[in-house]
Amino acid sequence: MGRPGIVLSSSFVSSTDEKFQKYIEYLDRDEATRNKAFEKYNIVAYTEFNDYMENPAKSSGLFSATEDYLGEQKADEMKTLFAEAQKKQSTLWQDVFSFDNAFLEEEGLYDSRTGELDERKIQQAVRVAMEDKFQKENLAGQGIWTASIHYNTDNIHVHVASVEMENTKPRVYREIKTFNKGTQRYEGTGKFDWQNKGRVKQKTLDTMKSKFANTLIDRNTSLAKIHEISRTHLLKNTVNLSTDDLYLCQLYKDLLKTLPHDRKDWQYNKKEMSPFRKQVNQITDYYLKEKNPQAFEELVQALDSEEEKRLRIYGGGSSKEETEIPQDDMVQHARNVTETNHYKDNKLQELYERAGNKILRELKMMSQDDRKELFRLADLPKSKRKMDAGAWHPPNPFKKQLFNEKMILRNMKKFERAIVGERDQMMHEHQYEQLQQQIYYSQANNRGR
């Protein structure tokens, strides 16, 4: 695996560190002088990132959370604010977003022939990342930052410096360290002083990089495609029990016979389901790979493409590698292990979990009569299966309600027919009696004559 498309590293110094003062002086210079003074204020130095120590060939000029370019007056205002923060013992943080220039070209953000870079997109990505950092590190509302894009031979990068206007970080008495160019390490100086605890949470750095990358490179289309195939075409439209497939009925029957007695345990990720998960997965396999193989293959291809893209953006990595990096290093690095490691496998596992829970919910809803019918269909001889297939479908509360309403309507009609029949019979009997009486009176009159 080559160099990641984007690298984020971060470091900090206390208000008493000379690097803090150097950065304030940096804000007070023109662009050419700033580039020459780059090494004096840069605090992000590490053996893996020697290119950061080189003075940039050129830079884009300062920008901030609200300004695309800080002119002389705005830069002066920012210098005053940083100086005030230093007096209040604030920490100075520096974050560096570095790029593999080839990656920028692949994404259409940079042209190596003309040297043209889409600075606006990069500025916007920095703003989104810094807003996320300020929220997660409780700096929102009082944190300020300024940044500049630096052009180097093979790795364009963005330096971002930030402070808080009122120091909220605890202070500890510890040894002052400085970067040794010979060893390419931060080493102790033998001097001690009160310094702020300035390390940011690892999760903060990881989400900063994710926000930055997602803003810089629009992933919405590919992620929406994965979601649509997974949730709609496969989960909603495919995972539904129907007796049109008697083999599926057999799989459901076998699972029902082995599930725990307590239906509360019928949840895919519950430990009680561990012995039965393989059977549930077998049903899901059949749904995905036999009932809708085209959509499943499309999902696999989309996941492969997304995983490849993530590896290009974030690089490889593992939790083992993360623990091997000393935790007291002055420079921190975004790792984003969860963004790359087993992305495809994790998404497929998520699909199997959702499908498994849907299958188990179908089984939970079955009444005793429904189960008996399922068992009957599953045990039919092959010669009779086609005749009876499709005679029964899994319970659905709306279908049950409709069925009950139809039964009531049917019974009412029977009742109406019975009443009408009884009424007609009574009318016939009454008419018969009247006719009999008329005959009787007619005969009596004839005898009287």
Side-chain angles (χ1 to χ4, degrees), residues 120-325:
R120 289 292 180 87
K121 263 200 169 183
I122 291 177
Q123 287 178 343
Q124 185 57 28
V126 171
R127 289 178 180 126
V128 172
M130 292 306 294
E131 182 181 5
D132 187 71
K133 176 182 181 177
F134 279 10
Q135 287 177 348
K136 287 183 169 55
E137 295 296 319
N138 299 318
L139 300 173
Q142 63 157 344
I144 61 169
W145 60 267
T146 183
S148 59
I149 301 172
H150 292 184
Y151 290 75
N152 284 60
T153 305
D154 59 355
N155 67 295
I156 293 169
H157 51 275
V158 188
H159 270 259
V160 189
S162 56
V163 292
E164 55 180 344
M165 298 312 297
E166 294 288 342
N167 180 46
T168 61
K169 305 304 176 187
R171 292 169 67 79
V172 293
Y173 192 72
R174 62 187 176 195
E175 186 177 15
I176 299 172
K177 292 184 177 182
T178 188
F179 188 73
N180 186 320
K181 288 185 180 180
T183 62
Q184 292 291 300
R185 293 283 178 179
Y186 275 92
E187 297 177 352
T189 61
K191 298 177 182 180
F192 288 78
D193 196 2
W194 288 97
Q195 302 176 59
N196 295 346
K197 285 187 174 182
R199 286 182 68 85
V200 299
K201 296 184 287 289
Q202 184 63 47
K203 187 175 181 180
T204 297
L205 285 178
D206 292 347
T207 55
M208 278 178 69
K209 184 173 176 180
S210 293
K211 296 274 187 179
F212 182 89
N214 291 339
T215 304
L216 190 65
I217 305 163
D218 185 9
R219 310 296 302 135
N220 292 333
T221 303
S222 60
L223 295 177
K225 179 181 179 181
I226 290 172
H227 185 277
E228 176 70 12
I229 298 172
S230 178
R231 298 289 181 87
T232 302
H233 295 300
L234 290 176
L235 192 60
K236 184 179 178 181
N237 295 340
T238 306
V239 183
N240 293 292
L241 173 59
S242 169
T243 52
D244 291 341
D245 189 330
L246 273 298
Y247 175 70
L248 196 56
C249 288
Q250 184 66 49
L251 293 177
Y252 270 75
K253 172 196 168 184
D254 293 342
L255 177 60
L256 264 174
K257 290 171 67 176
T258 58
L259 282 173
H261 177 72
D262 191 347
R263 295 191 184 191
K264 291 180 181 178
D265 295 332
W266 294 9
Q267 294 182 32
Y268 188 87
N269 280 327
K270 271 202 166 188
K271 64 179 181 180
E272 290 83 1
M273 279 297 299
S274 181
F276 318 104
R277 220 167 276 147
K278 186 175 180 180
Q279 279 180 276
V280 179
N281 289 344
Q282 184 183 4
I283 296 175
T284 302
D285 273 336
Y286 185 73
Y287 273 130
L288 301 181
K289 299 174 183 178
E290 299 296 330
K291 305 289 278 184
N292 204 341
Q294 185 175 351
F296 182 70
E297 181 59 30
E298 189 178 355
L299 174 64
V300 170
Q301 290 176 3
L303 290 173
D304 283 334
S305 177
E306 178 64 18
E307 186 171 72
E308 184 179 347
K309 175 66 72 175
R310 285 168 181 261
L311 286 170
R312 182 67 179 103
I313 294 172
Y314 300 104
S318 68
S319 55
K320 180 177 182 294
E321 291 172 0
E322 182 178 334
T323 57
E324 289 173 351
I325 298 176

Side-chain angles (χ1 to χ4, degrees), residues 295-359:
F296 182 70
E297 181 59 30
E298 189 178 355
L299 174 64
V300 170
Q301 290 176 3
L303 290 173
D304 283 334
S305 177
E306 178 64 18
E307 186 171 72
E308 184 179 347
K309 175 66 72 175
R310 285 168 181 261
L311 286 170
R312 182 67 179 103
I313 294 172
Y314 300 104
S318 68
S319 55
K320 180 177 182 294
E321 291 172 0
E322 182 178 334
T323 57
E324 289 173 351
I325 298 176
Q327 294 301 303
D328 61 346
D329 275 346
M330 292 291 291
V331 180
Q332 298 174 260
H333 312 290
R335 311 203 192 287
N336 300 93
V337 174
T338 55
E339 295 281 0
T340 54
N341 282 7
H342 312 299
Y343 172 80
K344 173 184 173 183
D345 293 341
N346 291 340
K347 283 296 179 182
L348 288 176
Q349 178 60 30
E350 181 183 308
L351 174 61
Y352 272 69
E353 288 174 14
R354 292 180 180 276
N357 280 324
K358 188 173 183 183
I359 292 166

